[in-house]
Amino acid sequence: MPNNLILTGFSGTGKSQVGLIIAQLWGWDFFDTDDEVTLAAGKSIADIFEQDGEAHFRHLERQAVASACNSSRAVVSTGGGSIVDPDNYRTMITSGVIICLEATPETITRRLQESSDQVSDLRPLLTGPDMIQRIRGLKTQRQAYYGLAKHTVHTDKLTLEEVAQEVYARWQEIAHGATNEGASEKLSPAFVVEAPSASYPVFVDWGLQDHIGKFLLGIGIRGPVYVITDSNVFGLHHGQVQRALEATGIEAHTFTVPAGEASKSLAMAESIFGWLAERRCERSHAIIALGGGMIGDLTGFVAATFLRGVPVIQVPTSLAAMVDASIGGKTAVNLSVGKNLVGAFYQPSMVLADLDTLKTLPARELASGWAEAIKHGLILDASLFRLIEERVESLLKLEPEITVEVIRRSMAIKAKVVEEDEKETTGKRILLNYGHTIGHGLEAATHYTELLHGEAVSVGIVGAGEMSQKMGLLSREELERHTKMLQRFGLPISYPGVNPHSVLKAMELDKKAASKVINWVLLQETGRATVRSDVDEELVQQTLNDLCR
Amino acid sequence: MPNNLILTGFSGTGKSQVGLIIAQLWGWDFFDTDDEVTLAAGKSIADIFEQDGEAHFRHLERQAVASACNSSRAVVSTGGGSIVDPDNYRTMITSGVIICLEATPETITRRLQESSDQVSDLRPLLTGPDMIQRIRGLKTQRQAYYGLAKHTVHTDKLTLEEVAQEVYARWQEIAHGATNEGASEKLSPAFVVEAPSASYPVFVDWGLQDHIGKFLLGIGIRGPVYVITDSNVFGLHHGQVQRALEATGIEAHTFTVPAGEASKSLAMAESIFGWLAERRCERSHAIIALGGGMIGDLTGFVAATFLRGVPVIQVPTSLAAMVDASIGGKTAVNLSVGKNLVGAFYQPSMVLADLDTLKTLPARELASGWAEAIKHGLILDASLFRLIEERVESLLKLEPEITVEVIRRSMAIKAKVVEEDEKETTGKRILLNYGHTIGHGLEAATHYTELLHGEAVSVGIVGAGEMSQKMGLLSREELERHTKMLQRFGLPISYPGVNPHSVLKAMELDKKAASKVINWVLLQETGRATVRSDVDEELVQQTLNDLCR
């Protein structure tokens, strides 16, 4: 792999000057992508924005980044917004070591005002009144991407030469592996979710909670933070998280709710609101959801609505929460008349899935989580399904490498769907409900007391598979593969004893049944789901009878 | 004004075919902007999207629309997404009569599938699996813009020739004023708010409530609808709204909360949630906020969070709610420890301000609303301020033409600010708080029982003006203009008797005071606001002493 030095960071952090100093020192080539764009277009960046639009500028910038990163022995200073583009990021990460130069909005404003350049020519996004507020806003939006760098140098109190020295030392360490590569690897996200309303990094690995403070600092959160957890998780994980926050000097407050679904209520949300208000939580602070799906939903709702939105970090401690609820921004509380009826679409600022927490889960809960991971393979990724199939025994033992791979891939599928359909308007997100129509019906018919969510989904997957098969979509062999896999994870494939009629009634009352017609997610083959509203009522009835026999 | 016929509407509604038939019949020129774009680029629309991006396509489309609309005696069939662009809309509306062809997503899917064209070449946004869902999603996004047409023809059950006949008849009526021009004028919005998360039309005129059903149908809402109102407004306006909804066959349910700020609570929201759940409110239905600021905030919060978001229509019945709260999507409920601490940014699908409701307001409430309208002029539009100044007497008498002009312009300023800073991240929206720092302090220090919001803001405007003047920003003459104007509307310019120290304490506790530093909105001149965090504490103290003496 080439070992170029790629500098990222906001305008005014000194990327161009520092890059040039280093290139001269080393005798390397120097590229400034903003300069390359200006040269290629034959006009100033402001004119490109004005005359051709930002999209065209980004197009030229992609070409400049690709061309500069294609060199070897090069220092590349990239435009402040270029790392946000996923193509650019891929180009940069494969071309060398990315180092971010950082400065506070106050420092940046001062530097840009002192600079002899015409700010408006170079940085059209920053001109206009209230420059510091614009800088703060734009910088916040980009902070998750700057967190993708291998190292960040805080430049506020350093001279250009000191910054250059620091960058050189870090590049040496990273490029030549002098640093602890394991730890620095962990600080790179598994992927970034690019939802229309927000982008955020997702970290998935073993032993992450010890570093939670560093992850928060990496996306610009300095505290105070407000940890919401439940009485079970508190005992298992809170001490470690608290220590890791203290180690980085982040002030933390904790609110513990009783474990169990009953805490997912408006009344509990109101208690937390009052607690946050007393502690004077502000929009510039952050809330941490430490727990399983219940905590993620409740905390997400609280964060979405307190002061009309405070950043939230999802730290899922159950497998189901990792592969499903922690990603995608669906937050909710229950009403007495129904589950998840009140909530918001509100994306987290970061997801931190520490696989060590899986070791503390009871076997049934772990299996319930695998049901959702398997479902992601079934609807969209046949190769993931095959991988799980081949490695069931290793996954059951939580063998480190295969576990992290399968969970990352399953989470990435969820992320992809969310990117395409954040708010359930295009019809893509409904595919995630494979197995859920019958699953929800079973849960409701048994009053949410007998089956774990993933167990009900497992039975629902068998039901939806049966229906797919009988409608001539899915082959009998494929269906048998699915059923066998669920069984190997110890998941139920039927649920005798419940009245199929009460399941059907609950399904019809389910909120996803818009205007009485049920939109069924079915499979055309493993890895390819489809939505059908023309399923015969008798087939549904027959399927439920079979499942409940 | 040229009287071209401009056809808008979704793909598959027959625009091109119908447009060609009419042009041939009349001997007029015919333009299809999609064809013009293809011709200009020398490649298919799919290739333009693929190779140059959607932004470039939109650029070419703007040129095609401008060129076609520049003709006279022309029928122009425009691309399904072109009216969304504000430049295109302006071009179209000044070039002739816009008529929309409409069809259900089911009809559109069927037509596109039956069409011999390669759908993917012509309509890259619609290709891929789940075509009907994509159509439904994209069509919903655009529906507000299709509502900008002068007339809509539902084509589902008509032949192309019947559609052409219907379009011709409507064009005749509208172009030659054979229809009731007054009523059709009212059905055009004053402006469209283009916030990052949503776009929506704002209607401002006399006598609109009688037509509420038509407005809802215009943006594709067919009911059921859930009207939330309060016990005062119910008696004044609900009967009229109910009748107007019945007249268009829209099923309506009503929930009435007690008038007064105490209803703006989580407990009340929970009651409404339960009521909505019982009536099986779905995301495809709509909620109507009929009332003043309290109803708008509470209903907006309920709509933002029930099922993670149901469309909401703001129908403000107070002047303050019209010029301020109904636009911009700030929704909230109060906690016992503070006001507006829980809420969401959630834009309405439409705002319908019927000025007739102003006739039912007590004089103090009307004056309180004018304070906000004046404030918009002060911070961003000196000419609006001058207009109000010149026409105070007419405005006090609610003379029809000047009242509608001033209120529209004031609302448009609020809309502009929201477009630039929907979620208070860029620093622009804070300008709307001119007069509010002291205003909130006064309200809190008097326990919200003595002053109306606009009255407190009026005193705050004088205070902030004094500070601006003493800091050398604003001239003494300008400040006197402001004070005199407030007085002419019967608004207070000081508030003797309250303890200035308790006002200061309340200001420091105000949630806008992030990290203790107060960001003061001050004026540099009439119509030009600025934000300053370097205001001397003694100046603040002195100003409060003067105001409270």
Side-chain angles (χ1 to χ4, degrees), chain A residues 55 133 137 273 277 280 282-283 305 307-308 330-332 335 337 341-345 424-426 509 511 514-515, chain B residues 55 133-134 137 273 277 280 282-283 305-308 330-332 337 341-345 424-426 509 514-515:
Chain A
Q133 293 287 0
F273 290 142
R280 308 205 63 67
E282 298 181 5
R283 277 194 203 152
T305 54
L307 305 181
R308 300 193 187 93
K330 268 199 184 182
T331 73
L335 296 180
V337 293
L341 290 181
V342 172
F345 290 101
E424 298 184 326
T425 50
T426 75
L509 276 172
K511 78 179 154 76
S515 317
Chain B
Q133 293 288 359
R134 276 168 193 261
F273 290 142
R280 307 207 63 69
E282 298 180 6
R283 277 194 203 153
T305 54
F306 189 69
L307 305 182
R308 301 192 187 94
K330 269 200 186 181
T331 72
V337 293
L341 290 180
V342 172
F345 290 101
E424 298 184 326
T425 50
T426 75
L509 276 172
S515 317

Side-chain angles (χ1 to χ4, degrees), chain B residues 344-539:
Chain B
F345 290 101
Y346 188 72
Q347 302 296 336
S349 298
M350 177 164 81
V351 178
L352 200 69
D354 183 346
L355 303 189
D356 279 324
T357 60
L358 302 182
K359 297 176 188 162
T360 65
L361 291 180
R364 261 185 80 189
E365 273 205 45
L366 203 51
S368 176
W370 286 120
E372 296 282 357
I374 292 167
K375 182 205 68 183
H376 289 158
L378 285 175
I379 59 171
L380 285 167
D381 188 347
S383 75
L384 173 62
F385 185 84
R386 197 174 321 110
L387 179 66
I388 299 177
E389 203 171 32
E390 285 164 0
R391 305 294 305 273
V392 172
E393 298 311 319
S394 306
L395 290 168
L396 285 171
K397 284 185 240 158
L398 292 177
E399 281 179 15
E401 280 190 29
I402 183 68
T403 303
V404 79
E405 181 179 353
V406 166
I407 294 177
R408 277 186 186 170
R409 284 183 59 179
S410 183
M411 290 172 80
I413 290 169
K414 172 80 187 262
K416 201 82 205 151
V417 172
V418 168
E419 287 172 354
E420 288 182 36
D421 185 16
E422 183 179 11
K423 298 189 177 174
E424 298 184 326
T425 50
T426 75
K428 182 88 184 185
R429 199 158 173 165
I430 195 181
L431 300 185
L432 296 169
N433 281 332
Y434 186 62
H436 281 59
T437 305
I438 293 176
H440 285 152
L442 270 172
E443 286 181 282
T446 54
H447 311 287
Y448 300 94
T449 52
E450 299 178 16
L451 287 154
L452 294 178
H453 178 64
E455 292 173 337
V457 168
S458 176
V459 178
I461 286 174
V462 176
E466 287 283 353
M467 288 162 56
S468 306
Q469 194 269 322
K470 287 188 178 131
M471 286 174 72
L473 299 167
L474 187 70
S475 75
R476 172 63 49 195
E477 295 73 45
E478 288 299 287
L479 175 57
E480 276 168 13
R481 276 178 76 200
H482 305 173
T483 311
K484 193 167 162 206
M485 172 108 113
L486 296 166
Q487 284 181 300
R488 288 173 73 193
F489 277 98
L491 287 160
I493 57 166
S494 68
Y495 197 66
V498 67
N499 181 346
H501 185 68
S502 62
V503 178
L504 185 63
K505 232 178 116 184
M507 277 162 42
E508 285 169 353
L509 276 172
D510 194 53
K511 78 180 152 79
K512 271 146 204 113
S515 317
K516 307 257 154 69
V517 176
I518 296 183
N519 287 312
W520 283 94
V521 183
L522 300 178
L523 289 194
Q524 296 182 287
E525 60 183 337
T526 304
R528 196 148 65 93
T530 187
V531 181
R532 294 284 287 259
S533 53
D534 60 346
V535 176
D536 191 66
E537 279 180 38
E538 254 178 65
L539 175 57

Side-chain angles (χ1 to χ4, degrees), chain B residues 98-118:
Chain B
I98 305 176
I99 290 185
C100 176
L101 303 191
E102 170 69 63
T104 64
E106 288 73 18
T107 303
I108 291 168
T109 309
R110 186 172 43 72
R111 286 183 187 159
L112 294 181
Q113 282 168 346
E114 286 168 2
S115 149
S116 57
D117 300 330
Q118 271 295 92

Side-chain angles (χ1 to χ4, degrees), chain A residues 7 36 119 149 203 286 303 399 428 455 527:
Chain A
L7 294 173
E36 303 293 322
V119 174
F203 297 87
E399 281 179 14
K428 182 88 184 181
E455 293 173 336

